[in-house]
Amino acid sequence: MHPFTQFGMVFSVASWYKGSLFFTLFILLANALVCASVKVSGDSIVPDARPHIIFLLTDDQRADALGVMGNPVIQTPHLNAMAKDGYLFRNAYVTTSICSVSRASLLSGQYMSRHKISDFSTNFTEEALANTYPMRLQKAGYHIGFIGKYGVGNRPPSDRFDFWSCWDRGQPPYWLKDGAGKDVHHTDSVERDVMRFLDEYGTQATPFCLSVSFKAPHELDGDPPVYQVQERFESLYEDISIPAQPNGGEEAWKRTPPFFHNPKNIARKRWEGLFGSEEQYQANVKNYYRLITGVDEVVGKLREKLTRLGIDDRTVIIFMGDNGFCLGNHGLEGKWFGYEESVRVPLIIYDPRKPIATPGDIQEMVLNIDIAPTILGYAQVPIPPSMQGMDLRQVALHKQPTRPDFYYEHTFMGSPGIPKVEGVIGSRYKYMIYTEHAYEELFDLDQDPYELNNIAADEVHVQRLKQMRERYALLKQAAQ
């Protein structure tokens, strides 16, 4: 005889017992319970009530590139509806505005200073990977999937996921070949994979966490870079004139740090290729918006699929951008620096269990490092001490305060291509120091929301500058 343990009870199984009807029925019942994904509480057996979780990430989408955030041009009806029924975080930021570093922060819940991924080739260590939200959810019994662009390191952990359909290294192209050799836009390819995942895992009782990373609206790198959109969106916004950026003129460019004016400045070179003329500006901002509308279409189809599967009432959806983007702001194209357009991103959390009476418009300052602990919180998985972010469920439900400011860091490449910058971003004051040049910026966002007047050298603000320097040193050390 040997012991057989299941659901907290021990049975002694003899050879004569195996042929009995009771044994057969018992095995069928045990298998059915395992397949149904049950949780055991004492002597009772209850269905797994933990929600499914879907995390949607766009690439280079700035905070105001969303209808519900006040953009009068862009068409994002499905995201608008999700924000209206869920939680809209109006002041969401990233701690480092560049793809790979921000993605590492999203997965780990850590500042770059702690996870140490500051470029495009460094991978998570085994220990660090084990503490990312997908791996911790898998250990807790979740099925996990990843679709689109992984974007961290050069050895993605594809074999660790139950479902994996990713462009493993660097930026994927916009046009891919499907199994029949036909061209498929990356956004449409992501949609197909999402539906495949849901067909397989959305019909099971075991909860899942699916991470979906779009290429859109990132430009296709080149000289000059370009935007490639689906044919069905090519005429969208055709008869609309895109308003000029309030801080996008020549005067704003003149007010940037003097070392920005080096001809090797990547942000300026890309500006010349995409936004250097009015014709370029109109064409490329529209293409940027078209790519986001394409993502919005996928969000609508995703929610329809969840409804057809009957799991829309137990699926939490989180939508965010990996970093912001300057559409000619300050005479620049791209991200990297601490400007508002670069560091602010959209963030929506849709929880179908949200109490109707709970306000969904959230003004608190939240960060990309908050996503991992929030996902773990929804899954009822303990948040490891290594994570530096917050569980945003408490902010949304109970209006728990978050933080008055945060540490910003961007150290990739360096001058003259992308000058290194660190600092403190607060709700009113912003302090940036370009560490290679010892060049300081201080902005009063209440009086100067477009960051056109650097008051760091103003004698009136000597005390404020001193306070921000001290706060910078304190937050930098705490981010380690």
Side-chain angles (χ1 to χ4, degrees), residues 387-459:
M387 288 190 176
Q388 296 168 295
M390 304 176 65
D391 181 351
L392 296 181
R393 295 176 309 146
Q394 305 307 315
V395 180
L397 282 172
H398 306 300
K399 298 297 178 290
Q400 177 179 311
T402 55
R403 51 183 67 81
D405 52 20
F406 70 95
Y407 170 62
Y408 182 77
E409 55 185 337
H410 190 291
T411 62
F412 177 72
M413 189 176 288
S415 294
I418 304 175
K420 297 180 181 182
V421 62
E422 298 175 355
V424 177
I425 298 176
S427 59
R428 177 169 180 178
Y429 290 100
K430 177 183 294 186
Y431 170 78
M432 290 289 136
I433 179 167
Y434 293 87
T435 54
E436 301 160 296
H437 305 274
Y439 184 92
E440 295 176 301
E441 290 179 325
L442 180 64
F443 296 109
D444 182 342
L445 299 177
D446 281 0
Q447 301 298 318
D448 179 28
Y450 298 111
E451 298 165 286
L452 293 171
N453 300 306
N454 178 13
I455 58 175
D458 192 331
E459 291 184 3

Coordinates of all heavy atoms in Angstrom, one line a residue, residues 387-459:
M387 N 9.9 44.9 -4.3 CA 9.1 45.9 -5.1 C 9.0 47.2 -4.4 O 8.7 47.3 -3.2 CB 7.7 45.3 -5.4 CG 7.7 44.2 -6.4 SD 6.1 43.7 -7.0 CE 6.5 42.4 -8.2
Q388 N 9.2 48.3 -5.2 CA 9.2 49.6 -4.6 C 7.9 50.4 -4.9 O 7.7 51.5 -4.4 CB 10.4 50.4 -5.2 CG 11.7 49.8 -4.8 CD 12.8 50.4 -5.5 OE1 12.9 50.2 -6.7 NE2 13.7 51.1 -4.8
G389 N 7.0 49.8 -5.7 CA 5.7 50.5 -6.0 C 4.6 50.2 -5.0 O 4.8 49.6 -4.0
M390 N 3.4 50.7 -5.3 CA 2.3 50.6 -4.5 C 1.2 49.8 -5.1 O 1.1 49.8 -6.4 CB 1.7 52.0 -4.1 CG 2.7 52.9 -3.5 SD 2.1 54.6 -3.2 CE 0.8 54.2 -2.0
D391 N 0.3 49.2 -4.3 CA -0.9 48.6 -4.8 C -2.0 49.6 -5.1 O -2.5 50.2 -4.1 CB -1.4 47.5 -3.8 CG -2.6 46.8 -4.3 OD1 -3.2 47.1 -5.3 OD2 -3.0 45.8 -3.6
L392 N -2.3 49.9 -6.3 CA -3.2 51.0 -6.7 C -4.6 50.7 -6.4 O -5.5 51.6 -6.5 CB -3.0 51.4 -8.1 CG -1.6 51.9 -8.5 CD1 -1.6 52.3 -10.0 CD2 -1.3 53.1 -7.7
R393 N -5.0 49.5 -6.0 CA -6.3 49.2 -5.6 C -6.7 50.0 -4.4 O -7.9 50.5 -4.3 CB -6.5 47.7 -5.2 CG -6.3 46.7 -6.4 CD -6.4 45.3 -5.9 NE -5.5 45.1 -4.8 CZ -5.8 44.3 -3.8 NH1 -6.9 43.6 -3.8 NH2 -5.0 44.1 -2.8
Q394 N -5.8 50.2 -3.5 CA -6.1 51.0 -2.3 C -6.3 52.5 -2.6 O -7.1 53.2 -2.0 CB -5.0 50.8 -1.3 CG -4.7 49.4 -0.9 CD -5.9 48.7 -0.4 OE1 -6.8 49.2 0.3 NE2 -6.1 47.5 -0.9
V395 N -5.6 53.0 -3.6 CA -5.7 54.3 -4.1 C -7.1 54.5 -4.7 O -7.8 55.5 -4.5 CB -4.6 54.7 -5.1 CG1 -4.7 56.1 -5.6 CG2 -3.2 54.5 -4.4
A396 N -7.4 53.6 -5.6 CA -8.7 53.7 -6.3 C -9.9 53.5 -5.4 O -10.8 54.3 -5.4 CB -8.7 52.6 -7.4
L397 N -9.9 52.5 -4.5 CA -11.1 52.3 -3.7 C -11.2 53.2 -2.5 O -12.3 53.6 -2.1 CB -11.0 50.8 -3.2 CG -11.4 49.7 -4.2 CD1 -11.2 48.3 -3.7 CD2 -12.9 49.9 -4.6
H398 N -10.1 53.5 -1.9 CA -10.1 54.2 -0.6 C -9.5 55.5 -0.6 O -9.3 56.2 0.4 CB -9.4 53.3 0.5 CG -10.0 51.9 0.6 ND1 -11.3 51.7 0.9 CD2 -9.4 50.7 0.4 CE1 -11.5 50.3 0.9 NE2 -10.4 49.8 0.6
K399 N -9.1 56.0 -1.8 CA -8.4 57.3 -2.0 C -7.2 57.4 -1.1 O -6.9 58.5 -0.6 CB -9.4 58.4 -1.7 CG -10.6 58.4 -2.7 CD -10.1 58.7 -4.1 CE -11.3 58.6 -5.1 NZ -11.8 57.3 -5.3
Q400 N -6.5 56.3 -1.0 CA -5.3 56.3 -0.2 C -4.2 57.2 -0.9 O -4.0 57.1 -2.1 CB -4.7 54.9 -0.1 CG -3.4 54.8 0.7 CD -2.9 53.3 0.8 OE1 -3.7 52.5 1.2 NE2 -1.7 53.1 0.4
P401 N -3.6 58.1 -0.2 CA -2.6 59.0 -0.9 C -1.4 58.2 -1.4 O -1.1 57.1 -0.8 CB -2.2 60.0 0.2 CG -2.5 59.3 1.5 CD -3.7 58.5 1.2
T402 N -0.7 58.7 -2.4 CA 0.4 57.9 -2.9 C 1.7 58.6 -2.5 O 2.4 58.2 -1.6 CB 0.3 57.8 -4.5 OG1 0.2 59.1 -5.0 CG2 -0.9 56.9 -4.9
R403 N 2.1 59.6 -3.3 CA 3.4 60.3 -3.1 C 3.3 61.7 -3.5 O 2.6 62.0 -4.5 CB 4.5 59.5 -3.9 CG 4.0 59.3 -5.3 CD 5.0 58.5 -6.1 NE 5.2 57.1 -5.8 CZ 4.3 56.1 -6.2 NH1 3.3 56.4 -6.9 NH2 4.6 54.9 -5.8
P404 N 4.1 62.6 -3.0 CA 4.1 64.0 -3.4 C 5.1 64.2 -4.6 O 4.9 65.2 -5.3 CB 4.6 64.8 -2.2 CG 5.5 63.8 -1.5 CD 4.9 62.4 -1.7
D405 N 6.0 63.3 -4.8 CA 7.0 63.5 -5.9 C 7.7 62.1 -6.1 O 7.4 61.1 -5.4 CB 8.0 64.6 -5.5 CG 8.6 64.4 -4.1 OD1 8.6 63.2 -3.6 OD2 9.2 65.3 -3.6
F406 N 8.6 62.1 -7.1 CA 9.3 60.8 -7.3 C 10.7 61.1 -7.9 O 10.9 62.2 -8.5 CB 8.5 59.8 -8.1 CG 8.3 60.2 -9.6 CD1 9.2 59.8 -10.6 CD2 7.3 61.1 -9.9 CE1 9.0 60.1 -11.9 CE2 7.1 61.4 -11.3 CZ 7.9 61.0 -12.2
Y407 N 11.6 60.2 -7.9 CA 12.9 60.3 -8.5 C 12.8 59.9 -9.9 O 12.3 58.8 -10.3 CB 13.9 59.4 -7.7 CG 15.2 59.2 -8.3 CD1 16.1 60.3 -8.5 CD2 15.7 57.9 -8.6 CE1 17.3 60.1 -9.0 CE2 16.9 57.7 -9.2 CZ 17.8 58.8 -9.3 OH 19.0 58.7 -9.9
Y408 N 13.4 60.7 -10.8 CA 13.5 60.4 -12.2 C 15.0 60.1 -12.6 O 15.9 60.9 -12.1 CB 12.9 61.5 -13.0 CG 12.9 61.2 -14.5 CD1 12.0 60.3 -15.1 CD2 13.9 61.7 -15.4 CE1 12.0 60.0 -16.4 CE2 14.0 61.3 -16.7 CZ 13.0 60.5 -17.2 OH 13.1 60.1 -18.5
E409 N 15.2 59.1 -13.5 CA 16.5 58.8 -13.9 C 16.5 58.3 -15.3 O 15.7 57.5 -15.7 CB 17.2 57.8 -13.0 CG 16.3 56.5 -12.8 CD 16.9 55.5 -11.8 OE1 18.1 55.6 -11.5 OE2 16.1 54.7 -11.3
H410 N 17.5 58.8 -16.1 CA 17.7 58.3 -17.5 C 19.2 58.4 -17.8 O 19.7 59.5 -18.0 CB 16.9 59.1 -18.5 CG 16.9 58.5 -19.9 ND1 18.0 58.4 -20.6 CD2 15.9 57.9 -20.6 CE1 17.7 57.8 -21.8 NE2 16.5 57.5 -21.7
T411 N 19.8 57.2 -17.9 CA 21.3 57.2 -18.0 C 21.8 56.5 -19.3 O 23.0 56.4 -19.5 CB 21.9 56.5 -16.8 OG1 21.5 55.1 -16.8 CG2 21.6 57.2 -15.5
F412 N 20.8 56.1 -20.2 CA 21.2 55.4 -21.4 C 21.9 56.4 -22.4 O 21.5 57.5 -22.6 CB 20.0 54.8 -22.1 CG 20.3 54.1 -23.4 CD1 21.0 52.9 -23.4 CD2 20.0 54.7 -24.6 CE1 21.3 52.2 -24.6 CE2 20.3 54.0 -25.8 CZ 20.9 52.8 -25.8
M413 N 23.0 55.9 -23.0 CA 23.8 56.5 -24.0 C 24.7 57.7 -23.5 O 25.9 57.5 -23.3 CB 23.0 57.0 -25.2 CG 23.8 57.5 -26.4 SD 22.8 57.9 -27.8 CE 22.3 56.3 -28.4
G414 N 24.1 58.8 -23.2 CA 24.8 60.0 -22.8 C 25.1 60.9 -23.9 O 24.7 60.7 -25.1
S415 N 25.7 62.1 -23.6 CA 25.9 63.2 -24.6 C 26.9 62.7 -25.6 O 27.8 61.9 -25.3 CB 26.4 64.4 -23.8 OG 25.4 64.9 -23.0
P416 N 26.8 63.3 -26.8 CA 25.8 64.3 -27.3 C 24.5 63.7 -27.8 O 23.6 64.4 -28.0 CB 26.5 65.0 -28.4 CG 27.4 63.9 -29.0 CD 27.8 63.0 -27.9
G417 N 24.4 62.4 -27.9 CA 23.2 61.8 -28.5 C 22.0 61.9 -27.6 O 21.0 62.5 -28.0
I418 N 22.1 61.4 -26.4 CA 21.0 61.5 -25.4 C 21.6 61.9 -24.1 O 22.1 61.1 -23.3 CB 20.2 60.2 -25.3 CG1 19.7 59.8 -26.6 CG2 19.0 60.4 -24.3 CD1 19.0 58.4 -26.5
P419 N 21.7 63.2 -23.8 CA 22.3 63.6 -22.5 C 21.6 62.9 -21.3 O 20.4 62.8 -21.2 CB 22.1 65.1 -22.5 CG 22.0 65.5 -23.9 CD 21.3 64.4 -24.6
K420 N 22.5 62.5 -20.3 CA 22.0 61.8 -19.1 C 21.3 62.9 -18.2 O 21.8 64.0 -18.0 CB 23.1 61.1 -18.4 CG 23.7 60.0 -19.2 CD 24.9 59.3 -18.4 CE 25.5 58.2 -19.3 NZ 26.6 57.5 -18.5
V421 N 20.2 62.4 -17.6 CA 19.5 63.4 -16.7 C 18.8 62.6 -15.6 O 18.4 61.5 -15.7 CB 18.4 64.1 -17.5 CG1 17.3 63.1 -18.1 CG2 17.7 65.2 -16.7
E422 N 18.8 63.3 -14.4 CA 18.2 62.8 -13.2 C 17.4 63.9 -12.5 O 17.6 65.1 -12.9 CB 19.2 62.2 -12.2 CG 20.0 61.0 -12.8 CD 21.1 60.6 -11.8 OE1 21.3 61.2 -10.8 OE2 21.7 59.6 -12.1
G423 N 16.6 63.6 -11.6 CA 15.9 64.7 -10.9 C 14.7 64.3 -10.1 O 14.6 63.1 -9.7
V424 N 13.9 65.3 -9.7 CA 12.7 65.1 -8.9 C 11.5 65.7 -9.6 O 11.6 66.9 -10.1 CB 12.9 65.7 -7.5 CG1 11.6 65.5 -6.7 CG2 14.0 65.1 -6.8
I425 N 10.5 64.9 -9.8 CA 9.2 65.5 -10.4 C 8.2 65.5 -9.3 O 7.8 64.4 -8.7 CB 8.8 64.6 -11.6 CG1 9.9 64.6 -12.7 CG2 7.5 65.1 -12.1 CD1 9.6 63.7 -13.8
G426 N 7.7 66.7 -9.0 CA 6.6 66.8 -8.1 C 5.3 67.3 -8.7 O 5.3 67.6 -9.9
S427 N 4.3 67.5 -8.0 CA 3.0 68.0 -8.5 C 3.1 69.4 -8.9 O 2.4 69.9 -9.9 CB 1.9 67.8 -7.5 OG 2.2 68.5 -6.3
R428 N 4.0 70.2 -8.3 CA 4.2 71.6 -8.7 C 5.6 71.9 -9.2 O 5.7 72.5 -10.3 CB 3.9 72.6 -7.5 CG 4.2 74.0 -7.9 CD 3.6 75.0 -6.9 NE 3.9 76.4 -7.4 CZ 3.6 77.5 -6.8 NH1 2.9 77.4 -5.6 NH2 3.9 78.7 -7.3
Y429 N 6.6 71.5 -8.5 CA 8.0 71.8 -8.9 C 8.7 70.6 -9.5 O 8.5 69.5 -9.1 CB 8.8 72.4 -7.7 CG 8.3 73.7 -7.3 CD1 7.5 73.9 -6.2 CD2 8.7 74.9 -8.0 CE1 7.1 75.1 -5.8 CE2 8.3 76.2 -7.6 CZ 7.4 76.3 -6.5 OH 7.0 77.5 -6.1
K430 N 9.5 70.9 -10.5 CA 10.3 69.9 -11.1 C 11.8 70.3 -11.2 O 12.1 71.4 -11.6 CB 9.8 69.6 -12.6 CG 10.6 68.5 -13.3 CD 10.2 68.4 -14.7 CE 8.8 67.8 -14.8 NZ 8.3 67.5 -16.2
Y431 N 12.6 69.4 -10.7 CA 14.1 69.7 -10.7 C 14.8 68.7 -11.5 O 14.6 67.5 -11.3 CB 14.6 69.7 -9.3 CG 16.1 69.7 -9.2 CD1 16.9 70.9 -9.4 CD2 16.9 68.5 -8.9 CE1 18.2 70.9 -9.3 CE2 18.3 68.6 -8.9 CZ 18.9 69.8 -9.0 OH 20.3 69.8 -9.0
M432 N 15.6 69.1 -12.5 CA 16.3 68.2 -13.4 C 17.8 68.6 -13.4 O 18.1 69.8 -13.4 CB 15.8 68.2 -14.8 CG 14.5 67.5 -15.0 SD 14.5 65.7 -14.8 CE 13.1 65.4 -13.8
I433 N 18.7 67.6 -13.3 CA 20.1 67.9 -13.5 C 20.7 67.0 -14.5 O 20.6 65.8 -14.5 CB 20.9 67.8 -12.1 CG1 22.4 68.1 -12.3 CG2 20.7 66.4 -11.5 CD1 23.2 68.3 -11.1
Y434 N 21.3 67.6 -15.5 CA 22.0 66.9 -16.6 C 23.4 66.6 -16.0 O 24.3 67.5 -16.0 CB 22.0 67.7 -17.9 CG 20.6 67.8 -18.5 CD1 19.8 68.9 -18.1 CD2 20.1 66.9 -19.4 CE1 18.5 69.0 -18.6 CE2 18.8 67.0 -19.9 CZ 18.0 68.1 -19.5 OH 16.8 68.2 -20.0
T435 N 23.6 65.4 -15.6 CA 24.7 65.0 -14.7 C 26.1 65.2 -15.4 O 27.1 65.5 -14.8 CB 24.6 63.6 -14.2 OG1 24.4 62.7 -15.3 CG2 23.4 63.5 -13.3
E436 N 26.1 65.0 -16.7 CA 27.4 65.1 -17.4 C 27.8 66.6 -17.5 O 29.0 66.9 -17.8 CB 27.3 64.6 -18.8 CG 26.9 63.1 -18.9 CD 26.3 62.7 -20.2 OE1 25.3 63.2 -20.6 OE2 27.0 61.9 -20.9
H437 N 26.9 67.5 -17.4 CA 27.1 68.9 -17.6 C 26.9 69.8 -16.4 O 27.2 71.0 -16.4 CB 26.2 69.5 -18.7 CG 26.3 68.7 -20.0 ND1 27.3 68.9 -21.0 CD2 25.6 67.6 -20.5 CE1 27.1 68.1 -22.0 NE2 26.1 67.3 -21.7
A438 N 26.5 69.1 -15.3 CA 26.1 69.9 -14.0 C 25.2 71.0 -14.3 O 25.3 72.1 -13.7 CB 27.4 70.4 -13.4
Y439 N 24.3 70.8 -15.3 CA 23.3 71.8 -15.7 C 22.0 71.5 -15.0 O 21.4 70.4 -15.2 CB 23.2 71.8 -17.2 CG 22.3 72.8 -17.8 CD1 22.8 74.0 -18.2 CD2 20.9 72.6 -18.0 CE1 22.0 75.0 -18.8 CE2 20.1 73.6 -18.5 CZ 20.6 74.8 -18.9 OH 19.8 75.8 -19.4
E440 N 21.5 72.5 -14.3 CA 20.2 72.4 -13.6 C 19.0 73.1 -14.3 O 19.2 74.1 -14.8 CB 20.4 72.9 -12.2 CG 21.4 72.2 -11.3 CD 21.6 72.8 -10.0 OE1 22.0 74.0 -9.9 OE2 21.4 72.1 -8.9
E441 N 17.9 72.4 -14.1 CA 16.6 73.0 -14.5 C 15.7 73.0 -13.3 O 15.6 72.0 -12.6 CB 16.0 72.3 -15.7 CG 16.7 72.4 -17.0 CD 16.0 71.7 -18.1 OE1 15.5 70.6 -17.8 OE2 16.0 72.1 -19.2
L442 N 14.9 74.1 -13.1 CA 13.8 74.1 -12.1 C 12.6 74.8 -12.8 O 12.7 75.9 -13.4 CB 14.3 75.0 -10.9 CG 13.2 75.1 -9.8 CD1 12.9 73.7 -9.2 CD2 13.7 76.1 -8.7
F443 N 11.5 74.0 -12.8 CA 10.3 74.5 -13.4 C 9.2 74.6 -12.3 O 9.0 73.7 -11.5 CB 9.8 73.6 -14.5 CG 10.8 73.6 -15.7 CD1 11.5 72.4 -15.9 CD2 10.9 74.7 -16.5 CE1 12.4 72.4 -17.0 CE2 11.8 74.6 -17.6 CZ 12.6 73.5 -17.8
D444 N 8.4 75.7 -12.4 CA 7.2 75.8 -11.6 C 6.0 75.4 -12.5 O 5.6 76.2 -13.3 CB 7.0 77.2 -11.1 CG 5.8 77.4 -10.2 OD1 4.9 76.6 -10.3 OD2 5.7 78.5 -9.5
L445 N 5.5 74.2 -12.3 CA 4.5 73.7 -13.3 C 3.2 74.4 -13.1 O 2.4 74.3 -14.1 CB 4.3 72.1 -13.1 CG 5.6 71.3 -13.3 CD1 5.4 69.9 -13.0 CD2 6.1 71.5 -14.7
D446 N 2.9 74.9 -12.0 CA 1.6 75.7 -11.8 C 1.7 77.0 -12.7 O 0.7 77.3 -13.4 CB 1.4 76.1 -10.4 CG 0.9 75.0 -9.5 OD1 0.7 73.9 -10.1 OD2 0.7 75.1 -8.3
Q447 N 2.8 77.7 -12.7 CA 2.9 78.9 -13.4 C 3.4 78.7 -14.8 O 3.2 79.5 -15.7 CB 3.9 79.8 -12.7 CG 3.5 80.2 -11.3 CD 2.2 81.0 -11.2 OE1 1.9 81.8 -12.0 NE2 1.3 80.6 -10.2
D448 N 4.1 77.6 -15.1 CA 4.7 77.3 -16.4 C 4.5 75.8 -16.8 O 5.4 75.0 -16.8 CB 6.2 77.6 -16.2 CG 7.0 77.4 -17.5 OD1 6.4 77.5 -18.6 OD2 8.2 77.1 -17.4
P449 N 3.3 75.4 -17.1 CA 3.0 74.0 -17.4 C 3.7 73.5 -18.6 O 3.8 72.3 -18.7 CB 1.4 74.0 -17.5 CG 1.1 75.4 -17.9 CD 2.1 76.3 -17.2
Y450 N 4.1 74.3 -19.5 CA 4.8 73.9 -20.7 C 6.3 73.9 -20.6 O 7.0 73.7 -21.5 CB 4.3 74.7 -21.9 CG 2.9 74.5 -22.2 CD1 2.0 75.6 -21.9 CD2 2.3 73.3 -22.5 CE1 0.6 75.4 -22.1 CE2 1.0 73.1 -22.7 CZ 0.1 74.2 -22.5 OH -1.2 74.0 -22.7
E451 N 6.8 74.2 -19.4 CA 8.3 74.1 -19.1 C 9.1 75.0 -20.0 O 10.1 74.5 -20.6 CB 8.7 72.7 -19.1 CG 8.0 71.9 -18.0 CD 8.1 70.4 -18.2 OE1 7.5 69.8 -19.1 OE2 8.9 69.8 -17.4
L452 N 8.8 76.2 -20.1 CA 9.5 77.1 -21.0 C 10.4 78.0 -20.3 O 11.3 78.6 -20.9 CB 8.5 78.0 -21.8 CG 7.6 77.2 -22.8 CD1 6.5 78.1 -23.4 CD2 8.4 76.7 -24.0
N453 N 10.3 78.2 -19.0 CA 11.1 79.1 -18.2 C 11.8 78.4 -17.1 O 11.3 78.1 -16.0 CB 10.1 80.2 -17.6 CG 9.4 81.0 -18.6 OD1 10.0 81.5 -19.6 ND2 8.1 81.0 -18.5
N454 N 13.1 78.2 -17.3 CA 13.9 77.6 -16.3 C 14.3 78.6 -15.3 O 15.0 79.6 -15.6 CB 15.2 77.0 -17.0 CG 16.2 76.4 -16.0 OD1 15.8 76.1 -14.9 ND2 17.4 76.2 -16.5
I455 N 13.9 78.4 -14.0 CA 14.1 79.4 -13.0 C 15.2 79.0 -12.0 O 15.3 79.5 -10.9 CB 12.8 79.6 -12.2 CG1 12.2 78.3 -11.6 CG2 11.7 80.3 -13.1 CD1 11.0 78.5 -10.7
A456 N 16.0 78.0 -12.4 CA 17.1 77.5 -11.5 C 18.1 78.6 -11.2 O 18.7 78.6 -10.1 CB 17.8 76.4 -12.2
A457 N 18.3 79.6 -12.1 CA 19.3 80.7 -11.8 C 18.6 81.9 -11.2 O 19.3 82.9 -11.0 CB 20.0 81.0 -13.1
D458 N 17.3 81.8 -11.0 CA 16.6 83.0 -10.5 C 16.8 83.1 -9.0 O 16.5 82.2 -8.2 CB 15.1 82.8 -10.8 CG 14.3 84.1 -10.6 OD1 14.7 84.9 -9.7 OD2 13.3 84.3 -11.2
E459 N 17.3 84.3 -8.5 CA 17.6 84.5 -7.1 C 16.4 84.3 -6.2 O 16.5 84.0 -5.1 CB 18.2 85.9 -6.9 CG 19.6 86.0 -7.5 CD 20.2 87.4 -7.2 OE1 19.5 88.2 -6.5 OE2 21.3 87.7 -7.7

